[in-house]
Amino acid sequence: MKLDCVMAGALYLSLVLFWAAQTLLAASFKALQCERPVHTEESSCPMEDDLTDPREAGFQIKGYTFSEPFHLIVSYDWLILQGPAKPVFEGDPLVLRCQAWQDWPLTQVTFYRDGSALGPPGPNREFSIAVVQEADSGHYHCSGIFQSPGPGSPETASAVAVTVQELFPAPVLRAVPSAEPQAGGSVTLSCQTKLPLQRSSARLLFSFYKDGRTVRSRGPSSEFQIPAASEDHSGSYWCEATTEDNQVWKQSPQLEIRVQGPLASAAPPTSNPAPQKSAAPGAAPVEPPGPLPPPPTPSSEDPGFSSPLGMPDPHLYHQMGLLLKYMQDVRVLLGHLVVELRELSGHKKPGTTKATAE
């Protein structure tokens, strides 16, 4: 009889536990909330086919997207530091609370980051940063003294790690089709960056600059187009991406744009004469269309020698100078020859007289 009662009790307990497990499982699925309205007839969660980021796959089960999970930590201690349950990004506010057991009163509350006090002790149990940056990451903890009915001694909470994530990387400016376009062609400058999945709904504004001046003020478009590039568009460009509240802004590295001019065609040969020189200061003016009088030549024997068009020719002057030098050399040689001939004639005259007398 007792054995039958034990078996019946065990069976009843098993049925109760099975029913409780089903109830908890159903309640867990009902607690899941979707991020967007209903899009399918079979479920209250939309299907997302374009999720490719590995971090996004954790929130997708059989084509359904669920809300982002968070971690819940229950501590049993006199003093704990309560931090944010969700990821913290650049530009977010950060609030830390030094929580006492059963909310007992505290005095001399001090907050620390990486072991360094963030301020003097005081009654405030909260520490806040209006706009966090990546440099605010670290291990935070707090300490305080319990008042009645607490232990009345200083207590220190365990450290909590706070990681401030980058909201978006510094943008990169790219030129399409090229950073060295031909004159007259179009160029599109694209300011490229990306928001994380958790903040994909955030909105960024973009502005463009050239050589220290604004070429396009802030706007939602991440592209700036130059319809017809010219040499005036050459210069150093960069862009800036910022949040709508202007709490986070980042600049891109500079990009050099060099617009190439049209290819120069070979010029046909010209028959222009050599460059003209001004006439001598003392020369009398000549009525047009006659040529101006040439400057004096190096030789006084041919003062009016000029090019066929009546204009002085420097190359011709040089050739004429060489010719004059050769003529002077020939003149010297002729002089020596005349002297030698005279000497020879003087030696032959006595012999010639003597022969005539005989």
Side-chain angles (χ1 to χ4, degrees), residues 279-280 282-294 310-311:
V286 180
E287 294 295 332
L292 295 175
M311 301 299 173

Side-chain angles (χ1 to χ4, degrees), residues 42-332:
E42 300 178 357
S43 172
S44 60
C45 293
M47 296 185 64
E48 296 288 344
D49 297 331
D50 57 347
L51 296 180
T52 57
D53 196 297
R55 296 172 300 176
E56 303 176 34
F59 309 124
Q60 189 179 26
I61 302 175
K62 295 182 180 180
Y64 298 98
T65 302
F66 299 93
S67 62
E68 180 183 338
F70 67 91
H71 299 281
L72 178 64
I73 301 176
V74 180
S75 301
Y76 184 80
D77 206 344
W78 286 109
L79 195 64
I80 62 173
L81 181 65
Q82 294 177 336
K86 295 183 177 181
V88 181
F89 290 89
E90 295 174 302
D92 291 348
L94 175 64
V95 179
L96 302 175
R97 180 176 175 80
C98 198
Q99 181 66 37
W101 171 259
Q102 294 186 354
D103 205 19
W104 287 347
L106 289 172
T107 61
Q108 304 296 309
V109 180
T110 307
F111 291 87
Y112 303 84
R113 182 181 66 207
D114 297 332
S116 300
L118 298 174
N124 195 353
R125 297 187 183 189
E126 289 188 353
F127 172 78
S128 62
I129 301 177
V131 179
V132 294
Q133 301 176 356
E134 288 186 275
D136 295 320
S137 300
H139 290 81
Y140 290 79
H141 74 276
C142 65
S143 65
I145 300 177
F146 278 86
Q147 293 180 339
S148 178
S153 59
E155 296 290 339
T156 301
S158 300
V160 174
V162 176
T163 302
V164 180
Q165 302 181 35
E166 186 180 48
L167 182 60
F168 59 89
V172 177
L173 185 63
R174 302 188 185 279
V176 180
S178 171
E180 296 183 352
Q182 290 292 333
S186 63
V187 183
T188 301
L189 302 181
S190 177
C191 193
Q192 300 179 0
T193 187
K194 184 180 181 181
L195 289 166
L197 169 67
Q198 296 90 335
R199 298 300 172 85
S200 58
S201 60
R203 188 184 182 194
L204 295 179
L205 302 178
F206 301 90
S207 52
F208 294 82
Y209 303 87
K210 172 184 176 289
D211 296 335
R213 59 184 181 85
T214 304
V215 293
R216 203 202 71 182
S217 56
R218 290 179 181 175
S221 176
S222 61
E223 293 184 349
F224 171 68
Q225 189 174 21
I226 303 175
S230 64
E231 294 185 2
D232 294 337
H233 291 107
S234 298
S236 297
Y237 288 79
W238 69 92
C239 67
E240 180 182 283
T242 180
T243 55
E244 286 186 303
D245 56 6
N246 202 28
Q247 298 293 351
V248 182
W249 57 272
K250 297 180 181 180
Q251 289 184 352
S252 71
Q254 294 189 5
L255 175 66
E256 290 291 330
I257 300 294
R258 291 286 176 260
V259 179
Q260 306 298 317
L263 298 177
S265 58
T270 59
S271 58
N272 293 337
Q276 301 180 4
K277 293 185 180 180
S278 59
V286 180
E287 294 295 332
L292 295 175
T297 61
S299 173
S300 59
E301 297 178 4
D302 193 7
F305 199 91
S306 61
S307 66
L309 297 178
M311 301 299 173
D313 191 343
H315 179 69
L316 195 57
Y317 281 160
H318 177 70
Q319 296 295 332
M320 187 176 65
L322 292 177
L323 180 60
L324 290 176
K325 183 176 181 300
Y326 294 152
M327 292 176 64
Q328 291 177 355
D329 294 339
V330 171
R331 181 178 179 182
V332 172

